[in-house]
Amino acid sequence: MEKTDIAVLGGGVIGLSVALKMLNSGREVVLIDSEEPGSGTSYGNAGTIAEYAVLPVGSPEVIKRLPSLLFNKNSPIAIKRSEIRSLAPWLMKFLYQSMPKQAEKNAQSIAKILVNARLRWEDLASQINGSSLLNSNGSIYIYKSKSIYDAGLKDINHRKTLGLNAQMLNPSELNKLEPNINLIEGGAAYFPDCAYMSDPGKMMKLLLNTCIEKGCPIIRQTAKNIERTNNGIKVTLDDKSTILSKHLVVSAGAFSKKFAKQAGDNIPLDVERGYHVEYDMNEPLLNRPCCSADGGFYMSPMSGRLRVVGTVELGGVSPEISMDRVNHLENGASNFFPSLGKPSRTWLGFRPSIPDSKPVISASRKGNDVVYAFGHGHIGLTLAPVTAEIVESIITGKKPPIPIHEFSVQRF
Ligand SMILES: Cc1cc2nc3c(=O)[nH]c(=O)nc-3n(C[C@H](O)[C@H](O)[C@H](O)COP(=O)(O)OP(=O)(O)OC[C@H]3O[C@@H](n4cnc5c(N)ncnc54)[C@H](O)[C@@H]3O)c2cc1C
């Protein structure tokens, strides 16, 4: 049995950031991951440090459009029909959280936790030698038609009430910022203060290497089970070996629910599957991530490739790829860039999603021997540094960087 002060279960961007934070506080940390840490969802995302993502996924507008969104093949959201029954409890909670009062409350909480996300990432990137992977050209939402632009304007005005800095662009202003995007009928919203990563995978490797350099052992095993004992939290691994720790941080992304249950908490975590296709090219066509607002996907310039990334597919963690979703991304990208051809590769990842779009960053109900750090949905990359600060405060008793009760397990 290996003994440690803090065990971190799951080494995506959340677990890696938590591990580094605790190592920096002089604590002994062990990281457990069944895969290469940082190689899953935290690798394949759109790379945006999305301070502008202040609105929850569930909103009154989404309820109105849900039937057409879920059952139209060309829609940005899909549902795996075979999974509808198992998704039902999550969907019911999601519908409740989409009602006007709840949605506004959730937006206010999300806006608070997003504040300074870019500054926090600049600080973290400089600690791990990753500053050159952070770009500060901002991000853009593109509204192809006049009617989509009008709906977008309403959405952006709502975000502005939550403190967001955004500029609306007409088609020629958009074309000046992004010369490879032809004149469209609608317009765009520009978020000038936001950053993005030109290679999230490389940033994950830097995070991992820094943790290792600071003395963090990486246990490449699948955790099977966690249990409270008189001497601490015991994690049983695939090969039946165990790790005993004073604190266990559950940061297994979309796979965290079962461990929370074993620690005594029933958390409504489910999965929004997301995809990317990549086109290898020397000059990736865009100067910053551009999101097709009605298509529900980003086109993110990354080193040596254009990554077309997004869409939501409700329906569990099976590795099976839905070609409808991939085609949605390919068709969407070729509407902007007709000569793209076929993608060089395709990828599927799992957003760990809570119906209220807020992560769970919290001590377990039974105490801070188990700490939850999962459920970051669409903004896990953005929120990793602040999550690490909050986890540190829960473990050490330090003052948290923001009020944290809104992200607590007590809300369920
Ligand atoms: C298509 C797409 C686009 C996105 N774009 C953005 C974006 O632009 N900006 C943004 O902020 N966010 C974005 N996100 C969301 C973001 O990527 C996620 O919220 C974030 O990566 C979640 O990180 P995590 O560490 O919680 O989970 P993960 O990265 O999934 O890491 C969890 C880790 O736990 C390990 N694990 C799981 N179970 C076990 C077990 N039993 N034993 C041992 N190890 C285990 C896994 O192997 C994995 O390494 C996007 C997501 C998707 C899918």
Side-chain angles (χ1 to χ4, degrees):
M1 179 184 291
E2 183 160 344
K3 287 190 180 171
T4 185
D5 180 7
I6 298 169
V8 177
L9 197 177
V13 68
I14 301 296
L16 286 167
S17 304
V18 167
L20 182 58
K21 186 63 148 181
M22 298 318 301
L23 289 161
N24 284 344
S25 310
R27 307 290 288 254
E28 185 193 22
V29 182
V30 164
L31 183 75
I32 307 161
D33 203 305
S34 44
E35 310 296 329
E36 170 77 2
S39 66
T41 302
S42 299
Y43 150 83
N45 51 59
T48 62
I49 308 304
E51 263 176 62
Y52 50 88
V54 287
L55 299 184
V57 179
S59 68
E61 190 52 32
V62 164
I63 300 191
K64 251 193 263 158
R65 294 176 53 214
L66 202 59
S68 72
L69 280 174
L70 287 179
F71 299 110
N72 174 350
K73 236 169 132 180
N74 299 319
S75 140
I77 303 185
I79 190 161
K80 265 181 165 283
R81 306 240 165 136
S82 54
E83 301 290 330
I84 289 182
R85 268 179 82 151
S86 65
L87 272 166
W90 187 93
L91 276 174
M92 294 308 287
K93 290 188 172 72
F94 175 77
L95 289 178
Y96 173 71
Q97 293 297 336
S98 302
M99 285 154 74
K101 223 167 129 189
Q102 293 304 320
E104 185 54 30
K105 214 169 127 209
N106 295 334
Q108 285 176 9
S109 304
I110 297 167
K112 277 184 230 157
I113 197 170
L114 278 168
V115 165
N116 291 334
R118 171 182 165 174
L119 289 177
R120 288 191 160 96
W121 254 113
E122 282 172 358
D123 179 42
L124 177 56
S126 75
Q127 290 175 45
I128 61 175
N129 229 351
S131 301
S132 64
L133 299 173
L134 265 191
N135 297 277
S136 41
N137 291 350
S139 285
I140 288 180
Y141 278 2
I142 299 178
Y143 308 110
K144 276 193 123 176
S145 69
K146 182 79 179 70
S147 61
I148 298 169
Y149 178 86
D150 290 343
L153 186 58
K154 209 169 134 208
D155 166 286
I156 296 299
N157 284 337
H158 185 185
R159 291 174 201 241
K160 283 184 175 170
T161 65
L162 295 159
L164 179 73
N165 176 22
Q167 296 162 16
M168 299 312 285
L169 306 177
N170 64 32
S172 65
E173 288 166 332
L174 168 63
N175 184 253
K176 271 195 195 116
L177 283 179
E178 294 296 347
N180 287 323
I181 293 192
N182 290 333
L183 284 177
I184 51 167
E185 189 201 308
Y190 175 41
F191 309 112
D193 303 332
C194 294
Y196 74 92
M197 281 177 204
S198 58
D199 202 323
K202 269 196 191 147
M203 194 69 100
M204 295 310 110
K205 285 211 169 90
L206 292 176
L207 258 174
L208 172 63
N209 291 343
T210 312
C211 289
I212 294 171
E213 278 161 22
K214 287 181 182 266
C216 178
I218 311 296
I219 314 280
R220 279 289 298 275
Q221 290 274 337
T222 302
K224 287 294 189 196
N225 188 51
I226 66 170
E227 136 190 37
R228 284 189 167 88
T229 71
N230 290 338
N231 302 317
I233 304 292
K234 186 169 88 176
V235 181
T236 305
L237 304 172
D238 222 7
D239 66 356
K240 302 212 164 43
S241 64
T242 54
I243 294 175
L244 190 67
S245 59
K246 277 194 215 135
H247 298 277
L248 173 74
V249 179
V250 178
S251 50
F255 302 85
S256 302
K257 184 176 172 138
K258 104 169 184 190
F259 300 111
K261 190 134 198 227
Q262 289 168 357
D265 290 300
N266 206 349
I267 298 180
L269 173 73
D270 219 294
V271 181
E272 292 176 62
R273 298 153 67 89
Y275 290 81
H276 83 218
V277 290
E278 287 186 333
Y279 301 85
D280 288 341
M281 58 183 82
N282 290 335
E283 299 294 333
L285 296 169
L286 295 168
N287 296 318
R288 55 187 62 71
C290 291
C291 173
S292 162
D294 60 316
F297 63 87
Y298 276 90
M299 296 171 288
S300 291
M302 300 216 163
S303 37
R305 64 223 195 264
L306 179 72
R307 180 177 282 181
V308 180
V309 47
T311 92
V312 166
E313 182 183 45
L314 298 171
V317 288
S318 80
E320 170 201 320
I321 285 189
S322 299
M323 282 319 289
D324 276 357
R325 295 292 86 206
V326 173
N327 293 339
H328 177 79
L329 293 177
E330 284 188 40
N331 296 338
S334 65
N335 277 335
F336 285 95
F337 305 116
S339 58
L340 270 180
K342 286 312 267 179
S344 314
R345 63 196 68 81
T346 299
W347 172 91
L348 160 69
F350 306 116
R351 300 180 189 90
S353 296
I354 304 285
D356 58 13
S357 296
K358 296 187 302 186
V360 184
I361 316 172
S362 169
S364 73
R365 274 204 175 79
K366 292 188 179 160
N368 77 346
D369 52 351
V370 178
V371 180
Y372 304 134
F374 60 80
H376 294 72
H378 293 235
I379 47 175
L381 189 69
T382 305
L383 294 181
V386 72
T387 300
E389 284 179 46
I390 296 174
V391 170
E392 181 191 34
S393 75
I394 294 168
I395 291 178
T396 63
K398 254 189 182 176
K399 188 175 181 294
I402 57 160
I404 55 175
H405 63 278
E406 292 157 69
F407 305 97
S408 161
V409 71
Q410 307 286 345
R411 71 188 193 266
F412 303 113

